[in-house]
Amino acid sequence: MGHGQAPLLRQRWRTPFRGRGFGRNHHFSWSRECRGHASWHCMPRCERACQQGGWGTLLSDAVGEDHRPHAIIQRIRALVEVVLRGNSRTLEDLEALGVCTPGLMDSRSGVVQAAANLRGWREVPLVELLAEEFHWEASKVTLENDTNAALLAEAWTGAAAGIKHIVLLTIGTGIGGAIMCDGQLLRGSKGQAGEIGHSILVPDGRTFGGAGVSGIFEGYASCSAVAIRARELMPPDSSLSKLEAVECEDVFKHAAAGDSYATELVQETAKYLALGCINCCRFVDPELILFSGGMAEAGDALLTEVRRQFQKYHWNLEPVRVKLKLASAGRNAGLLGAARAAMLSQR
């Protein structure tokens, strides 16, 4: 499959607005393209789905409570075999396998160093284990960070097709990031480049998450942070005060309905996002910044305000050049990106 040719995985998936938390509802999905590249992705709360067509098949299943690496890998193989049989194919028809997962990893050595929501996953040699399970050489298996994989999908068939300088922000439970410069993923010395959500926005500011640093970007601009901030200073005259539990989605809905407190929260969140985007521009000078994840479901209600705040805080040395857009690869971005990573690894 050449650059720009999209596989027929076209179903529009609705990303849960409340963020991409990886927990008990964790799923793994497997996708195969008929030309011989496969991908596997850990992903939350998707419906079991299988779309069959000329290019590919998607199948997903809940990870469940057994997180032992060997157990999950055996289940991956079982899913692979189900899909292959349904398409009259065998393992011999596969040229490569791409796998993406959240957490810290060394993609070069194929080791998942830590995955907080996969119990016991410390220094798991995932590429080696998968190669052993499939009786392949390790060179046929490619490991990629889930956000990097999503960016690969956007640059391949999505909103960033044809663009070489891109930043992707995934705004959900936290804020994930991926960076592409000159058409190449920016990885850094330890593969940790793109941890944009952990950049410090307000020194000694809000406590958020378990990384041990206060005032980080995702502590102000993630879906979780919006919900927390909304509950902290709730005025009794806000329509949000009538809700039993306030979530990020509620804030945007009530802002659209004219609630002044919710509107103020949306504007403040847009300001934080704009500042994060400006910092990205100063560091890596992208042509395009993409928004994905739960909060991106707000669409123009979010982007219009972020663009306004971006203009307000942008320097005066030149006009705003960078474009701020919504990602378009949807819920299948990780799968498509893992397949793309596998394809690129075989060149």
Side-chain angles (χ1 to χ4, degrees):
M1 180 178 294
H3 183 86
Q5 289 180 283
L8 295 184
L9 291 174
R10 295 294 191 187
Q11 183 170 347
R12 292 291 296 172
W13 292 92
R14 297 293 289 174
T15 303
F17 196 96
R18 300 181 185 208
R20 296 175 50 197
F22 292 87
R24 293 194 175 187
N25 292 323
H26 207 65
H27 283 64
F28 57 78
S29 299
W30 187 83
S31 173
R32 180 195 58 76
E33 293 176 34
C34 291
R35 295 194 180 183
H37 297 90
S39 63
W40 174 75
H41 182 205
C42 281
M43 60 195 303
R45 292 187 298 275
C46 64
E47 298 296 325
R48 178 183 292 270
C50 183
Q51 178 177 343
Q52 302 203 12
W55 289 108
T57 299
L58 172 65
L59 186 66
S60 69
D61 198 8
V63 170
E65 295 298 321
D66 189 352
H67 292 184
R68 292 174 301 160
H70 282 92
I72 288 180
I73 286 168
Q74 288 170 0
R75 293 176 65 197
I76 292 170
R77 173 156 183 164
L79 280 177
V80 170
E81 291 175 341
V82 167
V83 174
L84 288 173
R85 285 196 299 270
N87 288 272
S88 301
R89 301 299 179 108
T90 69
L91 285 174
E92 286 67 35
D93 293 311
L94 293 182
E95 296 175 10
L97 174 70
V99 53
C100 67
T101 182
L104 296 178
M105 67 193 65
D106 184 341
S107 58
R108 296 179 181 90
S109 65
V111 174
V112 177
Q113 296 160 331
N117 296 290
L118 291 172
R119 290 190 309 277
W121 279 53
R122 292 278 181 176
E123 302 300 329
V124 175
L126 186 57
V127 165
E128 179 184 329
L129 294 175
L130 282 166
E132 289 177 357
E133 182 67 29
F134 285 88
H135 305 292
W136 286 351
E137 295 182 1
S139 60
K140 292 183 67 173
V141 183
T142 301
L143 174 65
E144 190 55 85
N145 171 275
D146 61 340
T147 311
N148 282 348
L151 178 52
L152 285 174
E154 295 293 343
W156 181 28
T157 65
I163 297 176
K164 294 185 177 182
H165 302 272
I166 316 155
V167 170
L168 172 68
L169 298 178
T170 59
I171 312 169
T173 305
I175 296 179
I179 301 168
M180 182 174 285
C181 293
D182 294 314
Q184 301 295 318
L185 285 173
L186 189 63
R187 299 186 183 279
S189 63
K190 295 182 178 179
Q192 296 176 16
E195 289 289 347
I196 298 167
H198 287 271
S199 60
I200 297 174
L201 192 66
V202 181
D204 302 314
R206 302 179 62 88
T207 300
F208 185 89
V213 180
S214 299
I216 59 176
F217 183 29
E218 65 182 32
Y220 291 85
S222 64
C223 287
S224 301
V226 171
I228 293 169
R229 286 168 35 227
R231 294 190 290 264
E232 283 178 344
L233 301 172
M234 180 78 69
D237 60 343
S238 170
S239 58
L240 290 170
S241 67
K242 299 177 176 61
L243 301 180
E244 190 170 318
V246 176
E247 301 292 346
C248 182
E249 179 180 14
D250 301 317
V251 172
F252 277 83
K253 284 182 176 179
H254 284 245
D259 183 87
S260 59
Y261 177 61
T263 299
E264 180 182 334
L265 285 167
V266 169
Q267 291 173 344
E268 189 177 53
T269 301
K271 180 183 75 172
Y272 293 137
L273 288 170
L275 293 175
C277 289
I278 287 172
N279 288 336
C280 289
C281 290
R282 300 293 82 84
F283 296 152
V284 295
D285 189 26
E287 300 172 67
L288 173 67
I289 298 177
L290 292 176
F291 294 80
S292 68
M295 196 180 294
E297 292 291 332
D300 288 339
L302 174 67
L303 271 188
T304 299
E305 186 61 25
V306 173
R307 289 172 180 144
R308 187 182 74 83
Q309 299 277 4
F310 189 100
Q311 180 72 54
K312 178 180 178 180
Y313 291 101
H314 190 262
W315 63 15
N316 63 2
L317 302 179
E318 63 176 352
V320 174
R321 292 184 293 106
V322 68
K323 295 180 180 179
L324 308 181
K325 295 174 59 176
L326 298 176
S328 65
R331 191 65 176 273
N332 295 328
L335 287 168
L336 294 175
R340 182 62 173 164
M343 294 170 66
L344 293 173
S345 74
Q346 300 303 302
R347 289 184 172 179

